[in-house]
Amino acid sequence: GASGKINSNLIGEATDINWTDFNSGFAKSTESGKPIMAFYTTSWCSWCKKMRKETFTDGTIIDKLNSSFVPVIVNGEGSNKVNFRDNEFTESEFTKAMQVRGFPTTIFFDSSGKVILGQPGYLKPDQLELLLSYIGDGAYKAQKFEDYMKQRQS
């Protein structure tokens, strides 16, 4: 289950995912080579609640996230410290620095901290599953997401 550092109201029903905070997640990612999926959220955002309830409780999503990713929760209004690229931020500053304009936003980082891609808004299980496959399979290194989607749909 989740790391004790994350407020349970940011996790909601999504308790089967091994959530961690960004700093622990980044250390895990560097060590394992697995990409990070960072979920930028707040306690009040209704689309975040919907995503926690419907997308992050989906069996396929849970399996993929726990096996091939480091799932991280960032509180878009939080004051916990985030260390990233030799800078120290609060979670809220870090959210702004990553150009998150609304919640939820999902951002994928590779194990060196480079942003692979960011996706604003609510993602249904099949939408997130496509992103997890694209990134988890390493397809992102060779092709654009649009091309990958067309290929998967054909």
Side-chain angles (χ1 to χ4, degrees), residues 67-104:
S67 65
S68 307
F69 291 83
V70 179
V72 160
I73 284 184
V74 180
N75 178 355
E77 300 175 326
S79 53
N80 289 340
K81 294 279 175 260
V82 172
N83 299 302
F84 186 62
R85 294 189 185 139
D86 304 322
N87 291 305
E88 188 178 79
F89 301 94
T90 62
E91 283 179 295
S92 121
E93 291 164 345
F94 178 56
T95 300
K96 290 193 186 80
M98 297 320 297
Q99 276 141 29
V100 172
R101 308 247 184 273
F103 304 103

Side-chain angles (χ1 to χ4, degrees), residues 7 13 17 24 31 41 48 51 58 60 63 65 69 84 102 104-106 126 128 132 136-137 139-140 142-144 153:
N7 195 321
E13 287 89 346
I17 291 170
S24 317
E31 203 177 291
T41 183
C48 302
M51 198 160 154
D58 178 90
T60 308
D63 291 347
L65 274 178
F69 291 83
F84 186 62
T105 294
T106 307
D126 59 336
L128 182 59
L132 295 180
D137 300 345
Y140 72 91
Q143 63 185 149
K144 289 200 174 87
Q153 282 157 358

